[in-house]
Amino acid sequence: MLAEERQNHILSLVKAHRSISITEIQRRLNVSRETIRRDLVVLAEQRKLRKTHGGAISLETHEPDMAVRQTTNVAGKQAIGRLAASMIPDGASIILAGGTTVQSASDHLVTRQNLTVFTNCLASAMKLSGRNGNRVHLIGGEIQAQNQACLGRDATQMLANYFADFAIIGAGAISPRGTLMDFSREEAELHNLMLQSAQTVIVVADQQKFGRYAPVQVQSLERTHYLVTDREPDADMAEALSPLSIEVLVAHE
């Protein structure tokens, strides 16, 4: 493979995943790590991507549209949602964030009985309300069309009144240092409060979220009890997670 062809392939991978590790590029292209590092330097100098320790990230800073995310890794997200939902017993109180992976969890919560649900996600609220004795509280605020969820000061002020048995929260990205990240300040602030507002915190993230960056930090995963994903984290991510008291659960399709 010629250098230009290889670099174009790397750039396509970065744009598709928004960020990617050298390990993942090596797995896809079957070339040496040193070759990949040189290619990343060239692409960074051409201002086509941003080189990071251990990988690269896209220069685009916005999250893909909901319609795009709903058709990406559908089977993996459903497997994650099924496993996360299996941890929630009848009669529990639960905080549900927005996002397609959390919505996959709400798909598998529809058979639960007598849940008390606090959510800023319009889709999850509609799926779970009016069924099986559930009580659903929609966390209010401005509706963000990008995520079909309520965000802003009204949402955080309302959530501050509640504390739940469980919280299921998605990830815009999980950085190579194990930091939970999002694409907007409003979303990050609400997710940060969700992490503090539940007895047991479950973060759901498919394989594409690992080793990535997003513009806004939420916080370290140290307050998270379970990380549910669809593939074992690579060696670099596993090392970043190892100091944290977090149990990684891999869902299989």
Side-chain angles (χ1 to χ4, degrees):
M1 185 183 296
L2 298 175
E4 184 177 359
E5 182 183 359
R6 188 178 59 247
Q7 289 164 12
N8 286 336
H9 198 161
I10 290 172
L11 188 59
S12 295
L13 289 172
V14 172
K15 288 182 176 179
H17 296 278
R18 304 192 63 83
S19 69
I20 195 168
S21 67
I22 289 175
T23 300
E24 181 65 14
I25 297 172
Q26 185 180 31
R27 188 181 72 82
R28 300 288 188 100
L29 301 187
N30 195 28
V31 295
S32 72
R33 296 178 70 88
E34 286 305 315
T35 297
I36 295 168
R37 288 191 181 96
R38 289 195 296 269
D39 286 339
L40 292 179
V41 169
V42 171
L43 291 167
E45 289 175 347
Q46 295 173 350
R47 303 186 67 82
K48 293 181 177 179
L49 52 72
R50 181 177 301 162
K51 187 178 182 298
T52 65
H53 176 70
I57 61 175
S58 172
L59 293 178
E60 298 178 3
T61 59
H62 62 277
E63 191 171 22
D65 290 338
M66 176 67 76
V68 174
R69 284 179 283 143
Q70 286 175 333
T71 60
T72 303
N73 192 19
V74 175
K77 291 176 181 178
Q78 280 295 316
I80 292 169
R82 186 184 309 112
L83 180 53
S86 73
M87 303 166 68
I88 311 301
D90 289 344
S93 56
I94 181 170
I95 295 168
L96 294 173
T100 54
T101 311
V102 178
Q103 286 185 34
S104 294
S106 67
D107 287 341
H108 295 283
L109 288 171
V110 295
T111 59
R112 296 293 182 277
Q113 305 282 330
N114 301 313
L115 295 177
T116 300
V117 179
F118 307 100
T119 184
N120 67 316
C121 175
L122 303 180
S124 291
M126 294 302 295
K127 288 174 191 175
L128 298 174
S129 64
R131 102 173 32 237
N132 301 340
N134 295 336
R135 299 179 63 197
V136 177
H137 302 261
L138 182 62
I139 298 171
E142 182 179 0
I143 297 175
Q144 185 192 56
Q146 176 79 356
N147 286 316
Q148 299 172 11
C150 299
L151 294 172
R153 186 175 179 183
D154 291 335
T156 53
Q157 285 185 334
M158 181 174 176
L159 180 61
N161 295 313
Y162 301 113
F163 190 85
D165 300 319
F166 297 90
I168 300 180
I169 302 168
I174 298 177
S175 80
R177 298 192 303 272
T179 303
L180 192 62
M181 310 189 84
D182 276 316
F183 288 90
S184 73
R185 179 178 173 181
E186 292 81 5
E187 193 169 31
E189 288 177 348
L190 187 61
H191 286 176
N192 187 24
L193 183 57
M194 287 178 173
L195 287 169
Q196 302 173 53
S197 300
Q199 187 71 33
T200 300
V201 176
I202 303 166
V203 169
V204 292
D206 73 352
Q207 57 191 274
Q208 297 180 7
K209 302 298 177 67
F210 289 117
R212 290 176 46 180
Y213 291 91
V216 188
Q217 295 188 68
V218 181
Q219 62 170 267
S220 167
L221 287 169
E222 61 187 8
R223 293 187 63 89
T224 300
H225 300 88
Y226 299 97
L227 173 59
V228 184
T229 184
D230 59 337
R231 194 172 76 190
E232 289 283 355
D234 64 23
D236 292 337
M237 181 56 63
E239 183 179 355
L241 296 174
S242 62
L244 307 175
S245 55
I246 181 172
E247 184 174 352
V248 178
L249 303 176
V250 180
H252 299 287
E253 296 177 16

